């Protein structure tokens, strides 16, 4: 799925039917009296509905009304009488309202047509003729989510906000963008692709291919997991639209023409081919009236069957496909950089019960050490573990089951296939352990209770594929009913799952075996193909065509630099956002000598516990191993339970016991930092006692004695952290730049950046498993010390006393060792630059310098300034003019101000733009006026006022020791920032180079880097 802000999402996001919120409705139908039991007739409360089936509201007829009690929502399905447009409204007591326009878009080539159209639709419309109002609205809104995404067969335009004025503003922008876009040719050249002179002012300079989507997709396919996932989709479903790349193959994108795009919009963005979603509390009548009056009443119904996707024709025999990938110099050794997967076509996605049952079966087969595939494929330790495509996928018309491995040798391909088949046979013959099956079902049921802060968006994203194929999205929300039907099937037929495996795994010829191996010439071959594509494009161009290309380059450059007329765009006012959100209070209590946060919240009968252990006193070597320790500690078992038993208990009683490492700088002065391990867990109220018992057992009695398992977990860990570097390259570049600023920044990189990947690879190479086990055991004995701990409990008001009692019992069992050093002082470095060379065709650039930490008086001003620099300078220059997919600036709580670019065709040119920020800030004083200042504040408010799940209320208090009062004061100071404050910070932090800064690039080798930048660079190969 391709996204403008979220960069590249997974091409196969997991179906998360279970990540919804549910509430129970308690009712009584019997009254018990002292003298006799009187049976009363059930009391039926007449539910009041906003719309009535059969009635028409603003041109929309209400077709279906259903209340879904487990999520406390009411679903309304309405259809426009004139166009047939379906509108699905979810009425729910949730302040975070959502709106989306969805289209079924089915490309029949790989030019990226629907993806580029998604970009162009948001580049100005009839009512809002502004260049790229999408990005302009980012700082004129307080949206909690704002995006546009292209999937394999759909394009969606969703947003969410808690402010009704904001909701109406964005609704107008989005509707006009999709139904009346300008689709200007210049925007096509900027966003899609174009031929342009390398130096636009020199007609004799060579022609090159440029374009935002073009560079985006070059970056997307620089990640091997993306190459593998895309090929899997294309080859499992080769006959229709899934056989093509909806996002665009970089070598095919230049075949797309502007007229093709305009025609595609006319056909696929017709209202009859759209689906509209709304969610929350805001008045839907206003939405219906706007839709009918402005966009639908003047349109006629058309038959949209042309966009329907047929079922894939089943194969009569299995197929095998082999593909090549780039050599990943951050991955495993070349002999192990191979992947393999077996994919089986399952059922029609619209058969929701069958699909649900197969999803649960898939979890039973692959999830955790008690599953059949884990035992037979992962534990023999001949790979780096499951690859990213593994699991059940229901994103397409037909669903699929995939099991794959990454980082294995070619000679083990045959072994994988044999083990796959043996696993199927053994599972059918032996059946499934009831305890393992129950633990999977419990975890699913618990996840229904676990509340997400973005329920409306989650519901949309998890319903889009099914809705796109005209499936019953309302019945699909009745997850408890589907669980009940599955339990009934299992009860009535002890071989229910085995029968499904016979049907879908054994008697199924629609089976693809996909293998992938690295080619050292992959990037060179791509460059040759790109060069040949360019040659073919240029060779037949007449002189007038060449002149037109030159002229277009100059026109586009002037177009990009022209001052936009943003006044036509709606914008919130201060009175719309002056009030901050009100969250439940957090109280502090000393429990068994442990400072503990207590938060009574509406947690839907789930209790959350977090334990923060200060580990600043660990040695350097121990500290470097803490991320690994966090990954393996709960996967090895205890003295009482082996790892299979412990995993089963955790899955059947809790939502998991997770560990993470945190490095937090002092938010007051930025001169010291704390290192800690955070343990997080949650459970239904009936299981809280068991949850704390399992935590107690793990923390006191963890065991790391099984060297074979430990070795396997470590190798899988290294394999997993090496995947996805390119897809998150800007974050790794920021960490790389920050590592050059201070020792705290360097430690962050060594704990979670490229530095950590390199350290772990080298450490495992020179250290034997026995030594690693002893070191990890020593860490555990030091970490879980009650004297270095702070805790947090979030639960319902009624259950809190009992939760605290269980928590007290848990604390009594923890060792109370000597309190150790609580912080380390930060040492700053002299400026320097480094590059991590990668075999990819794009760059990720970053510059970081120390400015002011969170509670410093200048931090709010710098945060607002970062928004101005991003929106007014970096996006126009680095993205629009220079062709990067993304760019921005930000300041973190530690006081590090950073610039970054994403999927960038340039390196030194981008770094030069970062360095010229002060020059830009001073070049045109009109850039920073009252309106731009206010817009930047709105951009900050999107972060400050973002939604938070009940289980995470107070997390900033725990990690940063920041009270709610500190937050309120910060918010108030941010809103009070003046232009004079702005000017003072510009002079103070940007006029002269910082004493402490670093620059970092992830990307291909640039032999001219030192010449172009005038600085010394350390090259990390």
């Amino acid at each position: 799925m391709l996204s403008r802000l979220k960069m590249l999402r997974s091409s196969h996001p997991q179906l998360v039917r279970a990540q919804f919120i549910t509430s129970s409705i308690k009712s009584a139908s019997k009254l018990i009296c002292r003298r006799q039991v009187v049976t009363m007739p059930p009391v039926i409360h007449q539910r009041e509905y906003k719309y009535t089936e059969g009635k028409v509201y603003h041109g929309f007829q209400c077709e279906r009304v259903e209340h879904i009690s487990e999520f406390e929502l009411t679903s309304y399905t309405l259809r426009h009488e004139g166009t047939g447009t379906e509108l699905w409204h979810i009425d729910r007591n949730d302040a975070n309202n959502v709106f989306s326009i969805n289209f079924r878009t089915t490309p029949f080539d790989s030019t990226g047509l629907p993806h580029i159209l998604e970009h162009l639709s948001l580049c100005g419309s009839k009512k809002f003729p502004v260049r790229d109002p999408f990005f302009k609205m980012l700082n004129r809104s307080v949206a909690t989510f704002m995006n546009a995404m292209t999937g394999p067969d759909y394009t969606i335009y969703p947003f969410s906000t808690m402010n009704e004025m904001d909701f109406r503003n964005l609704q107008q922008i989005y509707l006009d963008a999709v139904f009346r876009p300008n689709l200007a040719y210049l925007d096509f050249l900027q966003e899609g692709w174009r031929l342009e002179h390398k130096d636009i002012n020199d007609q004799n300079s060579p022609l090159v291919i440029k374009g935002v989507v073009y560079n985006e997709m070059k970056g997307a396919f620089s990640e091997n997991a993306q190459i593998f996932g895309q090929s899997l989709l294309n080859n499992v479903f080769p006959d229709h639209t899934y056989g093509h790349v909806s996002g665009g193959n970089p070598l095919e994108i230049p075949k797309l023409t502007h007229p093709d795009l305009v025609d595609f919009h006319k056909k696929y963005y017709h209202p009859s081919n759209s689906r509209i979603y709304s969610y929350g509390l805001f008045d839907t009548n206003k939405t219906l009236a706007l839709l009918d009056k402005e966009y639908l009443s003047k349109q006629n119904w058309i038959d949209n069957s042309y966009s329907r996707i047929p079922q894939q024709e089943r194969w009569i025999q299995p197929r095998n496909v082999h593909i090549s990938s780039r050599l990943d110099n951050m991955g495993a050794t070349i002999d192990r950089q191979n992947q393999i997967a077996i994919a089986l076509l399952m059922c029609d996605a619209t058969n929701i019960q069958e699909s649900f049952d197969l999803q649960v079966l898939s979890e039973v087969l692959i999830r955790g050490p008690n599953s059949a595939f884990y035992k037979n494929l992962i534990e023999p330790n001949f790979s780096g573990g499951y690859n990213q495509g593994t699991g059940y996928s229901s994103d397409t018309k037909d669903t699929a089951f995939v099991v794959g491995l990454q980082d294995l040798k070619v000679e083990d391909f045959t072994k994988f296939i044999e083990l796959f088949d043996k696993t199927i046979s053994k599972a059918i013959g032996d059946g499934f352990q009831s305890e393992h099956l129950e633990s999977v079902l419990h975890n699913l049921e618990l996840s229904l209770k676990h509340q997400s802060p973005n329920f409306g968006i989650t519901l949309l994203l998890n319903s889009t594929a099914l809705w796109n194929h005209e499936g019953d999205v309302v019945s699909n929300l009745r997850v408890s009913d589907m669980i009940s039907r599955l339990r009934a099937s299992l009860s009535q037929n002890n071989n229910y799952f085995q029968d499904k495996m016979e049907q879908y795994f054994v008697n199924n010829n629609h089976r693809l075996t996909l293998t992938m191996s690295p080619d050292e010439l992959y990037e060179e071959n791509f460059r040759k193909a790109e060069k040949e594509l360019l040659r073919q494009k240029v060779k037949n161009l007449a002189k007038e065509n060449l002149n037109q290309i030159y002229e277009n380059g100059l026109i586009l450059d002037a177009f990009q630099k022209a001052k936009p007329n943003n006044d036509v765009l709606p914008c919130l006012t201060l009175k719309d956002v002056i009030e901050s959100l009100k969250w439940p209070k957090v109280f502090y209590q000393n429990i068994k000598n442990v400072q503990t946060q207590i938060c009574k919240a509406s947690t839907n009968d789930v209790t959350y516990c977090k334990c923060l252990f200060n580990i600043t006193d660990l040695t350097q070597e121990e500290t470097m191993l803490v991320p690994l320790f966090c990954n393996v500690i709960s996967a090895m078992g205890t003295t009482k339970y082996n790892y299979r038993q412990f995993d089963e208990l955790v899955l059947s009683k809790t939502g998991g016991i997770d560990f993470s490492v945190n490095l937090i700088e002092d938010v007051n002065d930025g001169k010291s930092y704390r290192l800690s391990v955070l343990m997080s867990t949650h459970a239904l109220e009936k299981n809280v006692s068991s949850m704390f018992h399992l935590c107690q057992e793990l923390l006191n009695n963890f065991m790391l004695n099984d060297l074979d398992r430990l070795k396997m977990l470590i190798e899988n860990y290294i394999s997993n952290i090496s995947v996805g570097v390119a897809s998150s390259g800007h974050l790794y570049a920021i960490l790389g730049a920050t590592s050059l600023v201070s020792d705290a920044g360097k430690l962050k990189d060594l704990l979670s950046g490229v530095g950590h990947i390199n350290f772990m690879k080298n450490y495992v190479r020179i250290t034997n498993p026995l030594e690693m086990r002893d070191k990890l055991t020593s860490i555990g004995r030091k970490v879980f010390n009650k004297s270095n701990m702070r805790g947090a409990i979030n639960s319902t008001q009624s259950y809190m006393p009992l939760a605290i009692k269980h928590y007290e019992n848990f604390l009594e069992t923890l060792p109370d060792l000597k309190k150790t050093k609580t912080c380390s002082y930060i040492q700053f470095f002299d400026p320097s630059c480094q590059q991590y060379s990668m075999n990819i065709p794009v760059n990720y650039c970053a510059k970081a310098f120390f400015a002011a930490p969170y509670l410093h008086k200048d931090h709010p001003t710098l945060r607002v300034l970062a928004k101005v620099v991003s929106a007014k300078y970096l996006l126009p220059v680095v993205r629009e003019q220079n062709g990067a997919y993304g760019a921005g600036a930000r300041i973190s709580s530690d006081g590090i101000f950073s610039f970054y670019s994403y999927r960038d065709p340039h390196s030194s040119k981008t770094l030069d733009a970062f360095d010229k920020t002060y020059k830009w800030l001073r070049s045109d004083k009109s850039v920073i006026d009252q309106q731009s200042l206010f817009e930047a504040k709105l951009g900050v408010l999107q972060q400050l006022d973002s939604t938070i799940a009940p289980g995470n209320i107070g997390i900033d208090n725990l990690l940063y020791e920041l009270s709610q009062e500190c937050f309120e004061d910060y918010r108030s100071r941010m809103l009070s920032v003046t232009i004079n404050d702005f000017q003072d910070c510009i002079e103070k932090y940007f006029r002269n180079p910082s004493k402490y800064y670093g620059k970092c690039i992830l990307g291909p080798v640039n032999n001219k880097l030192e010449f172009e930048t005038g600085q010394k660079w350390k090259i990390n190969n």
Side-chain angles (χ1 to χ4, degrees):
M1 184 184 291
L2 298 159
S3 158
R4 304 191 80 193
L5 282 182
K6 296 291 185 180
M7 311 307 180
L8 185 75
R9 299 166 87 78
S10 168
S11 59
H12 296 285
Q14 294 296 307
L15 177 70
V16 199
R17 283 196 181 110
Q19 290 187 356
F20 299 150
I21 310 167
T22 181
S23 300
S24 59
I25 298 179
K26 298 178 181 179
S27 62
S29 60
K30 292 188 178 181
L31 177 64
I32 303 178
C33 300
R34 280 175 179 253
R35 296 183 181 176
Q36 61 179 332
V37 177
V38 182
T39 302
M40 303 290 290
V43 179
I44 300 175
H45 299 282
Q46 186 67 41
R47 187 175 300 278
E48 291 187 6
Y49 293 115
K50 293 182 176 180
Y51 302 107
T52 303
E53 291 180 3
K55 287 192 175 182
V56 177
Y57 307 85
H58 301 285
F60 285 84
Q61 183 179 58
C62 181
E63 294 185 340
R64 181 180 181 183
V65 178
E66 288 192 34
H67 184 74
I68 311 291
S69 60
E70 58 199 273
F71 297 136
E72 276 304 308
L73 62 82
T74 301
S75 167
Y76 297 93
T77 303
L78 301 100
R79 192 172 302 278
H80 190 257
E81 291 185 306
T83 61
T85 303
E86 182 179 349
L87 186 144
W88 184 28
H89 174 64
I90 301 296
D91 187 73
R92 190 166 184 267
N93 186 20
D94 188 342
N96 196 22
N97 291 256
V98 183
F99 185 78
S100 180
I101 312 103
N102 299 11
F103 298 93
R104 187 162 57 207
T105 48
T106 51
F108 290 95
D109 59 40
S110 295
T111 61
L113 203 163
H115 183 197
I116 295 172
L117 176 57
E118 171 220 308
H119 278 242
L120 256 69
S121 293
L122 294 170
C123 282
S125 64
K126 182 179 179 180
K127 189 179 291 186
F128 305 104
V130 180
R131 177 163 43 89
D132 214 340
F134 177 82
F135 280 107
K136 303 295 189 298
M137 286 302 295
L138 289 177
N139 282 351
R140 300 171 77 90
S141 159
V142 288
T144 54
F145 184 92
M146 188 174 164
N147 224 322
M149 307 169 192
T150 302
D153 54 10
Y154 59 82
T155 307
I156 66 174
Y157 297 82
F159 69 83
S160 64
T161 180
M162 293 181 280
N163 184 294
E164 182 162 11
M165 180 62 69
D166 195 32
F167 184 88
R168 301 302 170 193
N169 289 346
L170 291 172
Q171 194 173 57
Q172 291 186 68
I173 295 284
Y174 269 57
L175 286 170
D176 214 58
V178 298
F179 290 128
R180 297 173 182 166
N182 289 336
L183 303 183
Y185 180 61
L186 285 178
D187 288 322
F188 174 78
L189 296 179
Q190 173 183 286
E191 298 295 319
W193 75 277
R194 66 187 182 275
L195 290 176
E196 189 172 271
H197 289 281
K198 193 170 185 179
D199 180 351
I200 62 169
N201 296 306
D202 181 3
Q203 194 168 358
N204 294 317
S205 64
L207 287 169
V208 293
I209 301 174
K210 295 182 180 180
V212 171
V213 171
Y214 180 74
N215 286 320
E216 175 191 350
M217 297 313 297
K218 284 173 68 174
F221 287 110
S222 65
E223 179 60 62
N224 285 339
Q226 175 69 22
I227 296 172
F228 193 84
Q230 184 66 58
S231 183
L232 198 66
L233 176 70
N234 297 155
N235 285 287
V236 173
F237 310 106
D239 293 350
H240 201 263
T241 191
Y242 305 130
H244 306 286
V245 183
S246 62
N249 180 330
L251 298 178
E252 298 291 316
I253 288 174
K255 296 178 182 177
L256 180 64
T257 67
H258 183 246
D260 289 339
L261 184 137
V262 174
D263 290 343
F264 191 89
H265 176 268
K266 288 179 181 176
K267 182 175 181 180
Y268 287 92
Y269 278 44
H270 190 281
S272 297
N273 194 46
S274 69
R275 292 171 176 80
I276 297 174
Y277 171 88
S278 68
Y279 166 93
L281 293 171
F282 296 155
D283 186 358
T284 313
N285 284 315
K286 293 182 180 179
T287 297
L288 299 178
L290 174 66
L291 282 164
D292 182 60
K293 181 181 178 181
E294 293 290 331
Y295 301 103
L296 305 185
S297 61
K298 301 177 182 63
Q299 297 276 1
N300 296 317
W301 174 88
I302 64 168
D303 182 356
N304 69 2
S305 60
Y306 59 85
S307 67
R308 288 192 187 125
I309 298 154
Q311 283 193 275
Q312 168 68 45
E313 185 177 342
R314 269 50 178 174
W315 301 340
I316 59 173
Q317 63 182 21
R319 297 180 184 180
N320 301 295
V321 175
H322 180 78
I323 61 172
S324 297
S325 63
R326 69 180 180 90
L327 175 63
D328 185 355
N329 55 323
M330 289 190 181
T333 56
I334 187 170
D335 63 317
R336 292 180 67 91
Q337 277 191 40
N338 305 285
Q339 293 197 42
I340 185 172
I342 292 177
L344 291 157
L345 203 64
M346 298 277 116
C347 68
D348 189 315
T350 61
N351 187 343
I352 59 174
Q353 184 66 48
E354 185 79 348
S355 183
F356 178 81
D357 292 358
L358 290 171
Q359 182 193 1
V360 174
L361 172 59
S362 299
E363 285 290 297
V364 171
L365 285 168
I366 64 176
R367 196 264 176 229
N370 291 293
S371 67
F373 278 114
Y374 188 98
K375 290 177 182 177
N376 293 335
L377 291 178
I378 305 301
E379 291 187 344
N381 197 25
F382 62 94
S383 73
Y386 290 135
N387 64 15
Q388 290 188 354
T390 297
Y392 183 75
S393 173
S394 56
D395 306 341
T396 46
K397 173 62 175 171
D398 295 285
T399 65
F401 173 79
V402 181
V403 172
L405 297 180
Q406 62 190 15
D407 291 350
L408 72 163
K409 296 180 177 180
V410 171
E411 50 263 38
D412 286 328
F413 284 170
T414 302
K415 181 178 181 179
F416 167 83
I417 295 169
E418 291 173 352
L419 287 173
F420 180 93
D421 292 331
K422 288 179 181 178
T423 302
I424 298 300
S425 298
K426 184 173 174 56
I428 292 174
D430 296 349
F432 301 95
Q433 292 179 332
S434 59
E435 296 84 359
H436 176 53
L437 176 56
E438 279 302 316
S439 69
V440 170
L441 288 173
H442 165 267
N443 205 250
L444 176 60
E445 290 169 325
L446 172 58
S447 63
L448 295 176
K449 288 274 189 179
H450 176 63
Q451 297 189 39
S452 158
N454 296 303
F455 180 93
I457 286 289
T458 302
L459 192 156
L460 167 69
L461 297 179
N462 292 323
S463 302
T464 291
L466 179 62
W467 197 18
N468 198 48
H469 301 296
E470 299 163 5
D472 189 346
V473 288
V474 180
S475 296
N476 195 48
L477 297 181
R478 299 189 182 280
V479 183
S480 294
D481 289 351
M482 290 191 284
I483 293 175
S484 297
R485 287 194 290 269
L486 173 59
R487 286 189 182 277
S489 297
L490 292 167
S491 175
Q492 294 164 9
N493 178 3
N494 291 333
N495 294 319
Y496 180 73
F497 272 159
Q498 291 95 310
D499 291 345
K500 292 296 178 188
M501 292 187 70
E502 287 280 0
Q503 176 184 353
Y504 289 104
F505 290 77
V506 178
N507 303 319
N508 183 0
N509 285 323
H510 201 109
R511 165 172 159 163
L512 172 72
T513 301
L514 178 67
T515 55
M516 182 174 77
S517 298
D519 180 355
E520 292 183 85
L521 299 177
Y522 186 88
E523 286 301 323
E524 183 180 335
N525 290 336
F526 176 82
R527 285 192 293 269
K528 287 180 179 178
E530 188 180 36
K531 189 175 180 180
E532 176 60 21
L533 173 65
L534 179 61
R535 191 186 71 81
Q536 292 292 335
K537 283 285 179 185
V538 173
K539 74 173 185 178
N540 295 322
L541 290 176
K543 186 175 181 179
E544 56 267 26
N545 298 129
L546 292 169
N547 288 335
Q548 189 62 58
I549 290 171
Y550 175 67
E551 291 296 327
N552 284 343
L554 297 176
I555 294 170
L556 180 60
D557 182 60
F559 174 69
Q560 292 168 334
K561 293 176 180 177
K563 186 175 181 179
N565 179 24
N566 293 340
D567 294 340
V568 300
L569 294 173
C571 185
L572 296 177
T573 63
L574 184 61
K575 69 178 182 180
D576 296 320
V577 297
I578 195 67
E579 292 294 327
S580 63
L581 299 174
K582 303 301 179 187
W583 299 106
K585 288 284 186 182
V586 173
F587 301 93
Y588 296 92
Q589 192 172 334
N590 190 296
I591 302 176
K592 300 297 180 181
N593 295 322
V594 174
Q595 186 187 33
T596 304
Q597 293 178 192
I598 303 297
C599 181
K600 299 172 184 177
S602 300
T603 59
N604 205 22
D605 303 326
V606 178
T607 293
Y608 297 84
C609 175
K610 292 179 174 63
C611 299
L612 189 70
F613 298 94
N614 191 303
I615 60 167
T616 309
D617 203 40
L618 293 182
T619 67
Q620 175 75 10
E621 184 183 3
E622 288 171 337
T623 298
M624 302 275 278
L625 291 173
V626 170
L628 174 64
F629 172 82
C630 291
N631 185 264
V632 304
I633 184 63
S634 61
M636 290 290 293
T638 69
T639 54
K640 187 175 181 180
Y641 305 107
N642 65 40
Y643 66 90
R644 296 193 202 280
Q645 294 169 329
F646 191 74
D647 181 82
E648 190 173 277
L649 284 168
V650 169
L651 196 62
S652 61
K653 297 295 183 181
T654 78
I657 304 175
D658 301 313
F659 296 85
S660 61
V661 60
N662 296 273
L663 192 156
I664 306 294
E665 288 88 349
D666 189 322
V667 292
N668 287 286
D669 59 16
K671 293 181 179 180
S672 62
Y673 67 88
R674 302 185 305 274
L675 199 63
S676 59
V677 166
L678 178 67
M679 183 191 78
S680 304
T681 187
H682 64 276
L684 296 171
E685 290 175 353
K686 66 179 181 179
N687 291 326
V688 169
S689 176
S690 298
M691 175 186 80
F692 279 116
H693 168 75
L694 290 169
C695 291
Q696 164 194 330
E697 175 67 21
L698 178 61
L699 270 54
N700 290 322
N701 302 313
F702 66 88
M703 289 285 289
L704 304 177
N705 288 346
D706 188 339
L707 289 181
D708 288 339
R709 178 163 177 77
L710 181 62
K711 186 172 183 291
M712 181 269 292
L713 290 173
I714 292 173
E715 291 183 4
N716 284 4
Y717 173 73
I718 294 173
S719 181
N720 286 326
I721 63 175
S722 302
V723 173
V725 173
S727 61
S728 300
H730 62 307
L731 300 180
Y732 285 99
I734 291 172
L735 278 171
T738 304
S739 73
L740 304 176
V741 175
S742 69
D743 58 350
K746 183 176 181 180
L747 185 54
K748 280 185 179 179
D749 184 57
L750 289 170
L751 292 174
S752 58
V754 175
H756 179 61
I757 299 172
N758 293 338
F759 166 78
M760 284 305 308
K761 286 181 181 178
N762 186 59
Y763 186 83
V764 169
R765 183 177 57 82
I766 64 175
T767 311
N768 65 61
L770 188 62
E771 189 178 342
M772 283 190 282
R773 182 205 65 185
D774 292 344
K775 189 67 68 175
L776 292 170
T777 301
S778 174
I779 291 171
R781 300 292 175 233
K782 295 179 180 180
V783 167
F784 303 129
N785 175 6
K786 187 165 65 174
S787 298
N788 289 337
M789 173 188 160
R790 289 186 292 122
I793 302 291
N794 290 27
S795 189
T796 60
Q797 182 168 349
S798 61
Y799 190 77
M800 184 62 79
L802 195 53
I804 292 176
K805 181 179 178 181
H806 292 310
Y807 175 67
E808 287 176 341
N809 295 336
F810 161 68
L811 290 179
E812 284 182 348
T813 69
L814 292 184
D816 194 359
L817 307 175
K818 180 181 178 182
K819 192 174 182 69
T820 59
K821 183 176 72 172
T822 57
C823 69
S824 290
Y825 290 98
I826 293 175
Q827 301 295 318
F828 288 95
F829 302 147
D830 292 332
S832 59
C833 309
Q834 66 174 337
Q835 180 186 20
Y836 290 102
S837 62
M838 298 179 66
N839 299 323
I840 56 177
V842 291
N843 297 280
Y844 302 86
C845 307
K847 176 185 177 181
F849 67 90
F850 179 72
Y854 187 82
L855 292 181
H856 190 281
K857 67 179 182 65
D858 291 338
H859 193 276
T861 305
L862 288 166
R863 197 164 179 177
V864 175
L865 195 148
K867 291 292 181 181
V868 170
V869 170
S870 296
K872 306 288 186 180
Y873 175 53
L874 295 178
L875 281 173
V877 173
V878 178
R879 183 187 185 275
E880 294 177 4
Q881 296 173 32
N882 296 346
Y885 181 42
R890 69 182 196 181
I891 185 169
S892 50
S893 61
D894 57 9
I896 298 293
F897 193 102
S898 53
F899 306 85
Y900 62 89
S901 70
Y902 187 81
R903 291 180 183 161
D904 190 344
H906 303 286
S907 55
S908 55
K909 189 174 184 178
T910 298
L911 293 172
D912 184 56
F914 295 163
D915 289 341
K916 289 180 177 176
T917 299
Y918 177 77
K919 182 180 179 181
W920 173 79
L921 287 166
R922 285 289 176 248
S923 64
D924 185 358
K925 291 187 178 181
S926 66
V927 166
I928 304 173
D929 55 17
Q930 291 296 341
Q931 181 60 29
S932 60
L933 178 64
F934 178 66
E935 289 177 11
K937 291 177 182 179
L938 290 178
V940 175
L941 281 181
Q942 290 179 15
Q943 300 164 328
L944 296 183
D945 292 351
S946 60
T947 55
I948 186 168
N952 275 332
I953 295 172
I955 187 66
D956 286 344
N957 305 49
L958 184 66
L959 293 177
Y960 297 92
E961 299 185 19
L962 279 172
S963 66
Q964 187 65 23
E965 289 72 25
C966 286
F967 172 83
E968 292 289 347
D969 178 66
Y970 183 94
R971 187 182 189 276
S972 177
R973 287 192 292 126
M974 188 279 296
L975 286 175
S976 301
V977 168
T978 66
I979 288 182
N980 286 337
D981 295 332
F982 235 58
Q983 303 300 343
D984 290 344
C985 277
I986 289 170
E987 291 299 315
K988 185 175 179 180
Y989 296 100
F990 291 86
R991 181 183 181 89
N992 298 310
S994 171
K995 289 171 61 179
Y996 313 113
Y997 75 82
K999 296 179 181 179
C1000 182
I1001 299 171
L1002 270 66
V1005 173
N1006 179 359
N1007 294 323
K1008 299 179 181 179
L1009 192 57
E1010 293 191 355
F1011 171 77
E1012 291 171 348
T1013 62
Q1015 292 179 293
K1016 184 71 175 176
W1017 284 77
K1018 177 186 176 183
I1019 308 299
N1020 303 293
N1021 294 312

